[in-house]
Amino acid sequence: MSATIKPFTDEFEEYGRDESRASGEASSISFPTTEDEVRVILGKLHAECVPVTVQGARTGLAAGAVPHGGHILNTSRMNRYLGLRRDEQGQFLLRVEPGVVLSELRKQLSKKVLPTAGWDQASLEAYEEFQEAPEQFFPTDPTETSACLGGMAACNASGARSYAYGPMRPHITGLHVALADGDLLELQRGEAFAQGRHLSLVTAAGHTLELDLPGYTMPKTKNASGYFVADDMDAIDLFIGACGTLGVITELEIALQAAPTVVWGVSCFFDSEDKAVSFTDSVRPVLSHAAAAFASLPALDKGAKVCVYVELDCDDEVQATEELYHLGWVLELAGGSDDATWVARTEVDRECQRFFRHAVPESVNMLIDERRRTDPTITKLGSDMSVPNARLGDVIALYRRTLAESGLESAAWGHIGNNHLHVNILPRDAQDYRRGGELFAQWASEVTAMGGAVSAEHGVGKIKAGFLETMYGHEAMVESARLKLQLDPDGQLGRGNLFSEKLLDELVQKGGA
């Protein structure tokens, strides 16, 4: 039976790590296939006070899915499509289990063919309308399309399209969340709101939860750092981006959108970062999304130091042509050249550009894997910080100055439209790894002072828990831990994620006070 709790033997070794290259230990593991099985497992583990780490496809980069002892609850086999409906505006809303993989969802949507086994009559009628309607798509676009939707919700994933479409959060309209004791919350966007910073929720078993939300203010920039909190907020938003610390996502309802009729990709090359920044600042109003790779590949001309990739999502080719001409005008004003620009008007050409865009991070991963054969203790150090628009030039200058002073190897890419660059330090030995960590801590402090976020899209997990305290302060971490304990009194779920286990244990011993 899938709900069986199995000993964590060598057979399951791969489940001790994720894409962060971090690894951990566990004593048991389970692979539930239904919401009910999740609830049974949690109820049993709760009675025994066993820590629980929730996993999906393990594509995360913040070690949120890496176990810190106890049990691994892996939801990757919960991959059914549960139903479909249309809201009052005619938008299609699709219910899925958390293990549905993004790449598979995209294939199903492009073919207009969804697995409908077990659907009720209302869903089947909506499905007929879906097949007759224009092609639909789900816009959240992380680099790893093998990610599952539950994991994407758990870290509020975003990706290359986030400048135009935002992160995962606004595209989630419903959630089922199993709590540490096996009880269930059924959340629908627009139905339950906080009163100021206090939130009351009623579980499926009829228990009322009175939750005190932390008092910190989130930065006005791309942000996946800590719990989402705001005055009078929608309750569903608290559980999106919570890194598996408040409950286990067992069902999602996601909003689909009509796919753009015309999509053109444009790769713009510059001989300096200053020109790329100037171009980005000028072209923001028409950007669909933009990504930047602050490194050159051997096949490029020596003058190409920076590439900014822009995607134009348009209603027709007339609009696409107009936006392309405007882009070219801004490009020349910023010091770029039409002759050094790649334009992709077909899916085949866009795939070539995407391959180019992903070549730098893939090359970095290959390099680090080679170095780990000599020293298994090292791994790459990848930043995930964002700043407000006005500070993009400042943060790039900070990165370049401090990297030059440190003598560390690095490569950078990311989402320049959101002022969100992934600066990757490539340690050659343990000393480089230590110095890189110290440099990241310095960046976290300075980015916070700029009004930025220490994690823009990957979540905090275990790797960036210390940075979260730098960003919000110790008292905010205490308030966050107290909120967690109001939902998870024994501190079982996602231990090590967001805040230290020491802080959590101290509060548990004090009764959550």
Side-chain angles (χ1 to χ4, degrees), residues 259-277:
T261 305
V262 176
V263 180
W264 287 359
V266 187
S267 292
C268 309
F269 294 92
F270 301 90
D271 60 12
S272 75
E273 291 176 347
D274 289 344
K275 291 178 180 177
V277 171

Side-chain angles (χ1 to χ4, degrees), residues 141-447:
D141 186 33
T143 299
E144 283 289 348
T145 60
S146 58
C148 65
L149 296 184
M152 290 167 59
C155 72
N156 190 32
S158 50
R161 290 195 180 112
S162 61
Y163 182 82
Y165 298 103
M168 184 81 168
R169 176 172 284 109
H171 307 291
I172 297 176
T173 55
L175 284 180
H176 283 194
V177 180
L179 301 178
D181 61 359
D183 205 347
L184 188 71
L185 286 171
E186 299 178 9
L187 303 164
Q188 200 69 35
R189 186 169 296 282
E191 291 188 355
F193 295 90
Q195 300 296 315
R197 292 294 174 105
H198 184 79
L199 179 62
S200 296
L201 296 174
V202 179
T203 71
H207 299 133
T208 299
L209 302 172
E210 301 292 347
L211 308 179
D212 298 310
L213 305 178
Y216 57 76
T217 300
M218 295 182 297
K220 292 179 172 57
T221 185
K222 186 177 179 182
N223 181 29
S225 309
Y227 296 139
F228 180 99
V229 291
D231 291 346
D232 307 321
M233 63 180 281
D234 195 310
I236 196 172
D237 289 326
L238 175 62
F239 297 88
I240 301 168
C243 286
T245 61
L246 301 181
V248 180
I249 294 172
T250 56
E251 182 180 312
L252 305 89
E253 183 181 71
I254 57 174
L256 307 179
Q257 294 183 215
T261 305
V262 176
V263 180
W264 287 359
V266 187
S267 292
C268 309
F269 294 92
F270 301 90
D271 60 12
S272 75
E273 291 176 347
D274 289 344
K275 291 178 180 177
V277 171
S278 174
F279 169 73
T280 301
D281 287 339
S282 300
V283 83
R284 283 186 206 276
V286 299
L287 285 181
S288 286
H289 72 259
F294 283 79
S296 58
L297 297 179
L300 298 176
D301 184 273
K302 291 182 179 179
K305 301 299 182 186
V306 186
C307 174
V308 178
Y309 174 78
V310 179
E311 190 171 282
L312 304 176
D313 293 1
C314 302
D315 295 331
D316 51 45
E317 291 202 359
V318 172
Q319 181 189 3
T321 300
E322 290 176 353
E323 292 193 6
L324 183 62
Y325 277 122
H326 179 74
L327 199 67
W329 176 69
V330 176
L331 176 75
E332 291 196 1
L333 285 179
S337 168
D338 283 346
D339 294 336
T341 301
W342 302 347
V343 178
R345 295 180 175 85
T346 68
E347 180 60 28
V348 172
D349 288 343
R350 285 197 303 278
E351 274 304 311
C352 289
Q353 292 203 9
R354 292 187 191 109
F355 176 80
F356 171 78
R357 180 159 57 94
H358 294 149
V360 176
E362 287 301 323
S363 298
V364 164
N365 288 339
M366 289 168 60
L367 173 65
I368 289 298
D369 287 343
E370 181 65 29
R371 289 180 178 176
R372 280 172 59 84
R373 293 190 180 97
T374 302
D375 186 348
T377 66
I378 65 171
T379 186
K380 75 173 183 181
L381 294 159
S383 77
D384 182 35
M385 303 178 192
S386 63
V387 295
N389 287 356
R391 305 307 297 267
L392 176 59
D394 296 334
V395 80
I396 292 175
L398 167 68
Y399 293 150
R400 289 306 177 207
R401 174 178 57 79
T402 53
L403 284 166
E405 291 169 354
S406 70
L408 294 168
E409 285 188 356
S410 68
W413 56 86
H415 315 290
I416 197 169
N418 294 119
N419 316 300
H420 168 214
L421 303 180
H422 300 301
V423 182
N424 285 251
I425 291 175
L426 317 179
R428 292 155 292 203
D429 51 36
Q431 183 179 0
D432 273 7
Y433 187 79
R434 178 184 56 77
R435 290 164 60 216
E438 293 170 353
L439 189 55
F440 272 31
Q442 177 185 342
W443 290 351
S445 179
E446 299 204 33
V447 162

